[in-house]
Amino acid sequence: MSDINYYRGNFCVEVHPAPGSLVIFGASGDLAKRKLFPALYHLFRRNLLHEESRIVGCARTAYSDDGFRDHLRPFLTEGTQEQQTAFLAKVCYVPGDYSDSGFYRKLDNVLNALEAKNDLPSNRTFYLAMPASLYPAIIDKLSENGMLEESPEPDAPWRHVVLEKPFGRDFASAEALDRDLHSHMREDQIYRIDHYLGKDTVQNILMLRFANLVFEPVWNSRYIDHVQLTASETLGVENRAGYYEQAGLLRDMFQNHMLEMLSLAAMEMPASFSPDDVRSEKVKLIKSIRPFDLKHLDKTVVRGQYEGYRAEPGVAPDSRTETFVAAKLEIANWRWAGVPFYLRSGKRLAARKSEIAIVFKSIPHSIFAPIRARDMQPDTLVLKVQPNEGMELTIQAKQPGPKLCMGGVTMSFRYSDLPGGESFDAYERLLLDAMLGDQTLFIRSDSIAESWRLFTPLLENWESLPLETYPAGSDGPESAARLLFADDREWRAL
Ligand code: BG6
C-alpha cells in the first residue's frame, strides 16, 4: 500500500499491529523498566498488542523468565493483578553478552521457537535501549547472524530496529554511524526515536496548522513578531552524569527535541500526510535555518551551568558541560525572513514547562487613546507541550464593568478536559508506530545530518562562549534575558 493510501485507510481508526516479537536490548535498564514496559503494558490493556505477540527482554543480568517478570512487576502500577500477570506471561528473558555471537544464536532460536509455536508471521522489532556506543557492535552481530534480513517477497515478515538518541555527537560521527547502519539495513527498517514527537501536543501542531483556515494566513513574518520555544526542567542531572558530561544540553535537547518542535511549527505544508512527505518538509526547514555567525556567537547564543552541578555525583569538579542553552535562530525563507526564533532549554530551572509561543506583532494603529498600539500586550498563541497539555490564545478584550477598560484575556483548551483525553504516553505512541511500520514520527537519516550540519560548527566553537552559572530554581543565566532585551523583547515567564 502506498503511504498516502495507508493514511486514507487508517485515519482515525485504531490500527492493531500484526503479531510479532519485540526484542528489547538493555531490558534491565532504567528506560526499559520506567518507560518501555509500562508503555507496552498500557498498550496491552488497550488491546493494542496482538494476542500472539511476544516481548523478549535481553541484558547481561542473569534473570530467569520469572525473575525478570518479578523485576518488572513493581513498574506496572495500573490495572488488576490478573492483567499484570497476563501481560507478564507475554514476556520472556534471554540473558547474554552482546559481544558474543552465541548469544544472538540463542536469541534467534528463542524467537524461532516462539514463532513456530504460534504459526504466525515472524515480524521482529529490535529496540536498542542502551548507550549509542553499543549500537554498531550489536547491529553488526544481528546482521552477521542473518537477523536483519528480510525476504523481498511482498508481505514478507519485517525486521525493524528502534534506536534511541544520541545519533552521533557531531556531523562526522553521525555520518559514520549512519553509514554503519545502512551497511546492514535499509532506511525503512530504522526507527530513530525522538520521544517529543510521540507527545500528542507536538503532533497537534500539524493538525492546528494544516486542518484550520484561521492560522495559515497569519503564520508568517507579516503578522508574527517572534517565536519562543522553551523546554525547561526543574530536575538536575540526577543519576545520568556519565552520559550527560559527554553530551551537555545542546546535544541532549537542542539537536533533537527543540529542533523537531521548531521544524513542525515553521515548516511548509507537506504534499500529503505520508511519513516521507511530512519528514521531507521538516528537513527542508532545518536546511533553511541560517548558520550561526561564529564571529559574533555571544550575540545569539548563551550557555550556562547551574550552581551545584559540579558537586553532583559523577560530575568533574571543573566540568564545563552546559546545562542551559538559549539561542536566537533565523530561518532564511520567504515565510520567516526577519522573524527571530528564540529557543531556551535548561535543567534546574524555576519550572517544568515545554511550550511554543507565537507572539504576534502589535496592531498598526490604536483608536483606543490613550493606549498606544505598542503598549498593548501582543496577541500570543501558546502551544503547551507539557504540563497542562493544550493551547492558549491571549488577546485584547473589553474588561467587564462600567469602565471602558481593555486587557488581555486568555482562551484555553486542555487535552485533559476532552472526553477520551486520557493520556497516551509518548513511548506508547512510538512503540505502537514502530510495530505498525509507520515512520512518520521517527527521525530520518537526512534530518539527523542537517541538524548536525547546523550545530557542529557551534560545538566546535563552544569554548569561545563564556559558561555562565545560574542559581538552581532560577530562570537561567542573566545573559539569556539580555539576549531578548537587546531586541526589545522579553522571555515569557517560566
Ligand atoms: C531526554 C533528555 O531526551 O528528554 C533528558 O535526555 C530530558 O535529559 C528529557 O530530561 C526531557 O523529556 P520530557 O519528556 O520530560 O520533557
Side-chain angles (χ1 to χ4, degrees):
M1 210 187 317
S2 83
D3 278 352
I4 294 177
N5 286 334
Y6 173 83
Y7 275 97
R8 286 205 180 118
N10 293 296
F11 208 82
C12 208
V13 173
E14 205 162 70
V15 192
H16 293 249
S21 308
L22 174 66
V23 181
I24 300 183
F25 290 95
S28 60
D30 233 41
L31 179 69
K33 64 187 184 212
R34 289 190 197 287
K35 291 284 184 189
L36 304 183
F37 280 99
L40 288 163
Y41 174 53
H42 213 209
L43 288 175
F44 166 79
R45 289 186 60 222
R46 284 180 179 240
N47 253 332
L48 283 168
L49 276 189
H50 193 282
E51 62 186 74
E52 300 297 349
S53 289
R54 292 290 176 269
I55 304 162
V56 182
C58 299
R60 271 172 215 267
T61 322
Y63 289 115
S64 63
D65 286 343
D66 278 337
F68 185 57
R69 291 175 189 135
D70 290 343
H71 159 80
L72 292 180
R73 201 182 276 273
F75 297 91
L76 313 180
T77 49
E78 298 166 349
T80 61
Q81 264 223 308
E82 288 71 43
Q83 283 174 322
Q84 295 171 4
T85 306
F87 168 73
L88 290 172
K90 293 177 153 304
V91 178
C92 64
Y93 186 77
V94 180
D97 173 352
Y98 298 132
S99 61
D100 168 20
S101 289
F103 160 69
Y104 296 85
R105 284 194 293 276
K106 189 167 72 177
L107 174 62
D108 204 27
N109 289 338
V110 169
L111 293 170
N112 288 335
L114 286 173
E115 287 155 8
K117 198 150 90 192
N118 298 311
D119 194 22
L120 287 166
S122 49
N123 294 325
R124 292 180 186 174
T125 305
F126 297 99
Y127 195 122
L128 273 54
M130 53 190 18
S133 54
L134 297 174
Y135 295 167
I138 293 178
I139 300 287
D140 214 56
K141 290 281 184 211
L142 284 171
S143 170
E144 187 183 298
N145 285 278
M147 295 169 79
L148 298 176
E149 266 166 42
E150 288 182 354
S151 146
E153 299 295 309
D155 297 326
W158 41 248
R159 304 284 181 262
H160 293 167
V161 175
V162 185
L163 301 173
E164 280 284 337
K165 75 171 183 38
F167 310 110
R169 43 181 294 106
D170 53 20
F171 185 77
S173 57
E175 222 190 10
L177 174 63
D178 211 53
R179 264 200 309 275
D180 200 78
L181 297 177
H182 283 122
S183 67
H184 298 297
M185 50 192 164
R186 301 182 314 274
E187 178 64 20
D188 65 6
Q189 294 178 275
I190 308 174
Y191 287 68
R192 298 178 193 82
I193 285 215
D194 181 318
H195 80 278
Y196 262 60
L197 291 179
K199 295 179 192 276
D200 271 337
T201 37
V202 174
Q203 292 161 55
N204 183 43
I205 301 171
L206 292 186
M207 302 253 171
L208 175 89
R209 293 192 52 204
F210 303 128
N212 295 293
L213 193 64
V214 294
F215 298 110
E216 175 56 22
V218 295
W219 210 262
N220 54 51
S221 61
R222 185 150 176 224
Y223 296 99
I224 294 178
D225 179 72
H226 72 279
V227 179
Q228 294 188 18
L229 280 97
T230 298
S232 71
E233 297 183 84
T234 49
L235 292 179
V237 67
E238 308 303 298
N239 55 359
R240 296 169 70 221
Y243 152 76
Y244 203 82
E245 276 282 272
Q246 300 303 313
L249 192 127
L250 194 83
R251 290 187 176 93
D252 189 44
M253 295 292 289
F254 260 62
Q255 179 268 331
N256 32 67
H257 310 325
M258 298 297 278
L259 213 50
E260 285 300 320
M261 289 198 286
L262 170 66
S263 55
L264 288 169
M267 72 191 219
E268 296 302 312
M269 185 187 294
S272 78
F273 196 45
S274 74
D276 272 324
D277 283 346
V278 172
R279 298 192 300 169
S280 296
E281 282 305 335
K282 287 201 300 182
V283 178
K284 195 171 103 195
L285 190 280
I286 297 174
K287 279 167 111 166
S288 309
I289 300 174
R290 204 181 283 288
F292 289 96
D293 175 357
L294 300 174
K295 291 213 178 72
H296 303 104
L297 269 187
D298 58 332
K299 302 272 181 298
T300 50
V301 184
V302 173
R303 66 195 272 259
Q305 187 186 71
Y306 64 79
E307 284 166 11
Y309 174 73
R310 292 177 180 180
E312 299 271 21
V315 171
D318 55 354
S319 170
R320 298 199 43 85
T321 301
E322 80 286 356
T323 60
F324 177 97
V325 176
K328 173 179 170 182
L329 297 184
E330 287 174 56
I331 298 171
N333 66 18
W334 278 28
R335 185 186 288 272
W336 295 116
V339 179
F341 283 72
Y342 300 103
L343 282 64
R344 66 178 158 168
S345 178
K347 291 202 180 284
R348 278 250 192 281
L349 293 176
R352 174 174 181 260
K353 185 183 211 179
S354 295
E355 64 171 35
I356 304 170
I358 316 287
V359 183
F360 289 90
K361 291 191 166 161
S362 309
I363 52 168
H365 166 70
S366 165
I367 58 166
F368 303 103
I371 306 181
R372 292 171 304 176
R374 67 166 186 270
D375 295 335
M376 292 180 197
Q377 260 184 23
D379 299 342
T380 308
L381 175 68
V382 184
L383 312 181
K384 295 168 77 85
V385 174
Q386 67 194 24
N388 306 326
E389 288 79 349
M391 57 190 252
E392 282 180 1
L393 177 64
T394 302
I395 54 171
Q396 297 295 308
K398 181 189 173 301
Q399 299 293 295
K403 287 189 283 182
L404 188 62
C405 297
M406 188 164 56
V409 292
T410 298
M411 300 191 281
S412 72
F413 129 72
R414 279 198 195 184
Y415 268 101
S416 57
D417 293 341
L418 295 183
E422 182 199 351
S423 81
F424 196 56
D425 180 75
Y427 274 98
E428 278 176 66
R429 164 87 278 148
L430 297 172
L431 279 161
L432 181 62
D433 284 358
M435 292 187 281
L436 288 170
D438 181 342
Q439 287 189 304
T440 315
L441 301 178
F442 295 86
I443 314 294
R444 210 168 59 187
S445 145
D446 50 352
S447 184
I448 303 281
E450 291 307 327
S451 61
W452 282 122
R453 203 190 298 283
L454 176 68
F455 287 121
T456 301
L458 181 56
L459 285 165
E460 284 167 355
N461 287 272
W462 222 199
E463 285 305 320
S464 70
L465 272 175
L467 180 68
E468 271 180 64
T469 52
Y470 58 95
S474 70
D475 286 356
E478 280 171 17
S479 297
R482 282 202 290 271
L483 189 70
L484 268 74
F485 283 152
D487 293 347
D488 217 8
R489 299 184 174 104
E490 57 182 330
W491 290 108
R492 286 167 48 78
L494 277 184

